[in-house]
Amino acid sequence: MTYKKKFNIGSLCLDNNILYAPLAEYTDFSFRKLLRHFHKGLLFCEMLKIEPLVRGKMGKMLKYTQDMKPIGAQLCGTNPKSARLAAKIVEDLGFDVIDLNCGCPVPKVVKDGSGSAMLKTPELIGEIIHEMASNVKVPITVKIRIGWDENSIVAQDLVKIAESANAKAITIHGRTKKQGYSGKANWDYIKQCKAIAKEILVIGNGDLYTPQDVKNIFDQTACDGVMIARGMLKTPWLAEDIEDFFNDKIINKDAEKRKNSLLKYIDYLIQEDGNTNAVFAIRRICGWYLKEIKNIKQLRIDINSSDNIKDILGHINDFSWSYLDG
């Protein structure tokens, strides 16, 4: 498989087979607004736990506007009956696809048995998918890691289980839970999963930061599509670069584009969350967003030591923006 300009997940018709992942504490409403400037395909809200959702506690996690569509919601939890109810709630909110997270490795998610802890109970994953899929019309998908550790690889089993439960796609991150985000994603497991998949789509995930990375995973695994995660924190317009790459267009690095999109994101943050919350959000994203820029250390220090947006904007505007290899 390779880059496609038209792509279907069940009944959902998409502009391409590049998906932007849900990332806790990053893909909030303001960042999704920024991403939509550069990505025409599917993007997701932050992951939301099922039990608070069915109790009516969703806050702003599932907030979106019509111009953000197509939009997906990602849920995590271990109770099949609650998952059934949650899926209907999300469908009624207008979401285009619902994803079950069985891959998040962070302790606060794993400790209650959800996220990647569910890799220890593959049949439960199938039961939850079945309950969700039988109660809604929108496509149900699932995101997994290859296993809890190298001694318990379950990815191929989960492809079969998810397919039998009527999931339309399975996103496979090529790391174990034990790895966290260390080491290198093993795409060979994604290749093996694609080889045994019948109707379910296999989406590759892990270590996708450049268009060449995307080409490599397509070539190595024959996956149906890719899910970009941390790569979009570094380059929100990565989907555009991927399309240009596969159309043999020259990809120009524009440091002013990086600066201006950061300023746009700050503007969205201020509108949505106010100045104080915007300060913390900017500090969080800049560890990714400022990579590859020349002499960036001082700007990072200035941003992290500033306690108000006015100063941060001043530092950004005063900085001389250029790429390391520019």
Side-chain angles (χ1 to χ4, degrees), residues 177-241:
K177 184 275 173 195
K178 188 174 181 180
Q179 280 181 272
Y181 295 99
S182 65
K184 188 176 182 181
N186 190 332
W187 294 345
D188 286 341
Y189 289 112
I190 300 172
K191 178 180 180 179
Q192 294 168 15
C193 288
K194 175 56 185 171
I196 66 167
K198 296 178 181 178
E199 295 184 3
I200 193 170
L201 300 172
V202 173
I203 310 298
N205 175 236
D207 296 344
L208 300 176
Y209 299 104
T210 68
Q212 185 64 55
D213 293 336
V214 172
K215 181 180 187 303
N216 291 345
I217 197 172
F218 276 134
D219 290 347
Q220 182 175 327
T221 71
C223 60
D224 298 290
V226 297
M227 180 174 279
I228 307 296
R230 291 176 293 170
M232 70 186 178
L233 301 181
K234 179 181 174 185
T235 312
W237 51 88
L238 183 53
E240 289 184 344
D241 287 352

Side-chain angles (χ1 to χ4, degrees), residues 38-59:
F38 309 113
H39 180 45
K40 294 178 284 188
L42 182 63
L43 61 82
F44 281 84
C45 294
E46 296 171 271
M47 181 181 71
L48 184 64
K49 289 201 170 187
I50 287 169
E51 297 300 338
L53 175 60
V54 297
R55 295 197 299 268
K57 298 178 181 179
M58 68 182 78

Side-chain angles (χ1 to χ4, degrees), residues 16-261:
N16 55 53
N17 56 345
I18 309 299
L19 286 61
Y20 272 13
L23 288 173
E25 299 184 344
Y26 287 105
T27 51
D28 58 10
F29 181 75
S30 298
F31 198 65
R32 293 196 298 274
K33 284 182 72 173
L34 179 69
L35 292 174
R36 194 44 94 195
H37 284 278
F38 309 113
H39 180 45
K40 294 178 284 188
L42 182 63
L43 61 82
F44 281 84
C45 294
E46 296 171 271
M47 181 181 71
L48 184 64
K49 289 201 170 187
I50 287 169
E51 297 300 338
L53 175 60
V54 297
R55 295 197 299 268
K57 298 178 181 179
M58 68 182 78
K60 296 163 61 175
M61 299 282 282
L62 296 180
K63 180 179 178 179
Y64 73 91
T65 52
Q66 287 299 311
D67 58 0
M68 285 184 185
K69 283 178 153 286
I71 188 82
Q74 187 183 69
L75 306 177
C76 74
T78 61
N79 186 312
K81 298 304 180 185
S82 295
R84 180 182 178 89
L85 295 173
K88 185 59 179 173
I89 291 170
V90 170
E91 181 182 53
D92 289 345
L93 289 171
F95 281 83
D96 299 297
V97 63
I98 304 167
D99 188 67
L100 175 65
N101 182 292
C102 301
C104 181
V106 302
K108 67 179 181 180
V109 173
V110 173
K111 70 179 181 181
D112 69 0
S114 56
S116 59
M118 294 189 68
L119 298 171
K120 296 181 176 181
T121 55
E123 297 301 329
L124 177 60
I125 293 174
E127 185 180 353
I128 291 174
I129 293 171
H130 174 75
E131 288 292 334
M132 295 168 72
S134 63
N135 200 36
V136 297
K137 296 179 181 178
V138 297
I140 300 297
T141 62
V142 58
K143 187 174 189 292
I144 68 168
R145 285 182 172 236
I146 57 176
W148 181 263
D149 57 30
E150 284 294 334
N151 297 316
S152 56
I153 303 298
V154 294
Q156 292 186 64
D157 291 338
L158 282 172
V159 168
K160 297 174 183 177
I161 288 170
E163 191 165 56
S164 296
N166 203 29
K168 300 304 180 184
I170 182 167
T171 299
I172 302 169
H173 183 121
R175 287 183 174 85
T176 64
K177 184 275 173 195
K178 188 174 181 180
Q179 280 181 272
Y181 295 99
S182 65
K184 188 176 182 181
N186 190 332
W187 294 345
D188 286 341
Y189 289 112
I190 300 172
K191 178 180 180 179
Q192 294 168 15
C193 288
K194 175 56 185 171
I196 66 167
K198 296 178 181 178
E199 295 184 3
I200 193 170
L201 300 172
V202 173
I203 310 298
N205 175 236
D207 296 344
L208 300 176
Y209 299 104
T210 68
Q212 185 64 55
D213 293 336
V214 172
K215 181 180 187 303
N216 291 345
I217 197 172
F218 276 134
D219 290 347
Q220 182 175 327
T221 71
C223 60
D224 298 290
V226 297
M227 180 174 279
I228 307 296
R230 291 176 293 170
M232 70 186 178
L233 301 181
K234 179 181 174 185
T235 312
W237 51 88
L238 183 53
E240 289 184 344
D241 287 352
I242 292 167
E243 181 174 358
D244 287 345
F245 177 87
F246 280 93
N247 287 320
D248 296 321
K249 294 182 180 179
I250 296 174
I251 299 173
N252 294 314
K253 283 191 172 183
D254 182 355
E256 283 295 311
K257 179 178 182 179
R258 185 165 292 276
K259 170 188 173 182
N260 291 334
S261 62

